[in-house]
């Protein structure tokens, strides 16, 4: 252990209170939690705080869509987020909200100090305005073509393809994400933070080891171009804190979001009798570490340290950026079921499987991480079940059955145990530097050595010879002690497994300092399986459940409010549309499809023939009420093979889904087979 105890404050980026947590989010919180747990078992004071990011237009619109107040939405989301984090083993010392008195206090304090220092100015600017919704549009509520490379479907602040940054008014062919309308430009006075006042300070800070080299190189581009002043205000209607002495103007969510770190920590200090200033004053000796995604590096490595410096607070000791999560080599996909919510994962798989897999893939850089589901299954089964847990499983039975559950009083040779102690320095260095994948490789190499040792000694053979029972006792005691050391080394990654292993070993919570203390002449408890193998059927069920969860989420965001209507993503020309053959059809028979919650099987008469069509309208109609009625179908749609049979067309219906679907019924005089034009 380090000879000097460190005082460390750690944060993860604040999850947005607009929706549930998915496994892409979990990458960051698991990474942070592993690092925090490592610091704690090394004996350091490490306080891990976070909060829900609870302000901004998206939250206001989601609350409207659900017919509730923003306060109710953010309170519900905070509970759901914290429940997900807790089940994934992410242990915050304080989890709070940016919609809090502390956050308002620090936002106003920082703003006032910056203003008094001459670092805030006002300017009348032209902004994108949605005339239908009667609101100014935030950057992320405008989409269009990048003015630099022409890529379509880009947000109003930067291009995901070429990386260019621009004003929303620079977009080509813009549309409002709120209503699908074309925005107009409208003048408005806004408040700006003069980030450029801190250009020299930021050039030094970003090159002084506080951020990764890749991020520093990227920030150099901004610094070399010359920093532009940052628009920190938004017009009403806006869900957030109103700016002091500026009626109708609100702090932009990105101003008060990082201040949420301070607010959550102040809330922790007040509950735990600590002095906030000892940690956040300009000359504080405490460390401050932020873990974030690379997509928000600009806010955390330029605007945030400038705000803190200008307001007389300490700057971060380090900002660590990570890459995005892909699944099976591709961007997470809702249609493929790989956009997996944290809650959906938890309903099907052990959360520690994902903690370990992320650890096995994470390095200190900003490269994207791929969750390959086949590799995920194989690695968990091989490493955790087949190597680590297997050591305890192989040895505990002999100790319990033949030696009264008690380990040997001495060891004939503790060289294997000492190899673990020697390797622990390198593993600790890997943890400290966020090289978790290297740490996992080195730990599994140690597990291999223990299993090889047991294979060579063959206690299952020796136990048959009473003269060799002492040897077997010795071998199994060495094995149990190796398992105990592995548990310590893996404890930051697998806290639940560690707690269950500590109960099995009959010991107090283990720390890093316990690595070189063997358990001897010590009673252990009966062994219970600590982990089971992953069966691929659970992966398949999780994917299917993710598709269903997405359908439910779409319903929430599509009903009751026009503001949530998604813009049209693609167009077809008239010639394509003219190819569709719409026909009047009589519903001759209708019945529910077994083992399907949504489908009805319809037999349709279109004049000269009958068609078999599966329609997802079971939630809206009793089949008996449809028989004998007319509807409209697409008659020239290619037959589609489904699990329940062949569907030979499509019935037209409209509505938000489930019980709010309405089959189109033609008017008077319509006959089966007539073409609809």
């Amino acid at each position: 252990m380090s000879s000097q105890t460190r005082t460390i404050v750690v944060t993860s980026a604040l999850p947005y209170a607009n929706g549930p947590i998915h496994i892409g989010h979990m990458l960051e919180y698991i990474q942070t939690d592993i690092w925090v747990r490592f610091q704690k078992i090394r004996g350091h004071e490490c306080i891990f705080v976070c909060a829900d990011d609870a302000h901004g237009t998206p939250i206001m619109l989601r609350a409207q869509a659900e017919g509730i107040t923003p306060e109710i939405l953010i309170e519900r989301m905070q509970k759901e987020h914290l429940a997900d984090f807790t089940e994934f083993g992410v242990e915050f010392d304080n989890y709070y909200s940016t919609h809090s008195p502390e956050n308002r206090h620090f936002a106003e304090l920082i703003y006032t100090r910056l203003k008094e220092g001459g670092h805030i100015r006002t300017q009348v600017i032209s902004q994108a305005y949605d005339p239908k919704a009667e609101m100014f549009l935030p950057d992320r509520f405008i989409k269009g073509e990048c003015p630099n490379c022409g890529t379509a479907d880009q947000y109003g602040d930067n291009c995901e393809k070429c990386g260019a940054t621009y004003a929303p008014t620079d977009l080509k062919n813009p549309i409002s994400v709120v209503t699908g309308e074309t925005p107009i430009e409208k003048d408005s006075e806004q408040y700006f933070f003069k980030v450029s006042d801190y250009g020299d300070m930021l050039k030094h800070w970003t090159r002084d080891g506080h951020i990764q080299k890749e991020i520093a190189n990227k920030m150099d581009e901004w610094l070399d171009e010359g920093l532009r002043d940052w628009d920190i205000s938004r017009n009403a209607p806006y869900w957030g804190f109103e700016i002091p002495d500026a009626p109708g103007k609100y702090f932009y969510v990105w101003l008060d979001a990082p201040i949420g770190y301070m607010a959550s920590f102040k809330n922790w200090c007040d509950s735990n009798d600590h002095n906030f200033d000892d940690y956040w004053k300009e000359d504080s000796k405490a460390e401050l570490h932020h873990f974030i995604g690379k997509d928000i590096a600009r806010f955390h490595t330029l605007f945030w340290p400038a705000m803190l410096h200008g307001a007389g607070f300490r700057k971060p000791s380090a900002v660590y950026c990570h890459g995005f999560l892909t699944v099976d080599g591709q961007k997470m996909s809702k249609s493929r079921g790989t956009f997996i919510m944290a809650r959906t994962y938890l309903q099907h798989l052990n959360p520690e499987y994902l903690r370990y897999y992320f650890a096995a893939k994470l390095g200190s850089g900003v490269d994207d991480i791929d969750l390959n589901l086949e590799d995920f299954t194989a690695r968990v089964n091989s490493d955790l079940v087949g190597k680590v847990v297997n050591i305890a499983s192989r040895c505990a039975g002999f100790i319990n059955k033949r030696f009264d559950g008690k380990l040997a009083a001495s060891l004939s040779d503790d060289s294997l145990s000492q190899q673990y102690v020697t390797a622990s320095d390198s593993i600790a260095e890997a943890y400290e530097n966020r090289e978790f994948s290297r740490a996992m490789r080195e730990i599994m190499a140690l597990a291999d050595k223990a299993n090889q040792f047991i294979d060579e000694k063959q206690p299952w053979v020796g136990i048959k010879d009473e003269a060799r029972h002492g040897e077997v006792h010795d071998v199994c005691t060495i094995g149990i002690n190796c398992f105990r050391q592995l548990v310590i080394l893996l404890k930051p990654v697998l806290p639940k497994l560690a707690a269950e292993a500590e109960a099995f070993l009959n010991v107090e919570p283990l720390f890093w300092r316990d690595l070189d203390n063997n358990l001897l002449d010590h009673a252990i408890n009966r062994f219970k399986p600590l982990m089971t193998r992953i069966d691929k059927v659970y992966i398949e069920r999780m994917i299917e459940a993710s598709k269903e969860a997405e359908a439910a989420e779409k319903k929430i965001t599509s009903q009751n409010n026009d503001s949530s209507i998604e813009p049209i993503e693609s167009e077809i020309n008239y010639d394509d549309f003219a190819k569709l053959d719409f026909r009047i059809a009589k519903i001759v028979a209708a019945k529910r499809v077994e083992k399907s919650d949504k489908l009805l099987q319809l037999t349709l008469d279109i004049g000269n023939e009958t068609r078999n069509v599966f329609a997802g309208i079971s939630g809206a109609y009793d089949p008996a009420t449809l028989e004998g009625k007319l509807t409209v179908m697409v008659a020239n749609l290619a037959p589609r093979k489904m699990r329940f049979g062949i569907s030979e067309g499509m019935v037209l219906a409209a509505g938000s889904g489930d019980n709010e679907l309405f089959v189109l019924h033609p008017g008077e005089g319509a006959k089966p087979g007539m073409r609809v034009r």
Side-chain angles (χ1 to χ4, degrees), residues 542-571:
M542 180 178 68
I543 297 299
E544 286 304 310
S546 295
K547 294 177 182 177
E548 293 172 7
E550 165 58 14
E553 177 68 11
K554 276 188 175 179
K555 183 177 179 183
I556 290 174
T557 57
S558 64
Q559 61 189 3
N560 300 330
N561 198 311
D562 285 343
S563 66
S564 61
I565 294 175
E566 296 183 3
I568 296 169
E569 295 183 354
S570 61
E571 296 180 345

Side-chain angles (χ1 to χ4, degrees), residues 182-202:
T182 300
I184 62 174
E185 292 188 17
K186 191 172 181 179
D187 287 346
S188 175
E189 183 181 57
Q190 298 299 335
Y191 289 70
F192 288 80
F193 170 39
K194 296 160 69 174
V195 191
S196 54
D197 290 353
Y198 301 99
D200 291 340
M201 179 275 291
L202 289 169

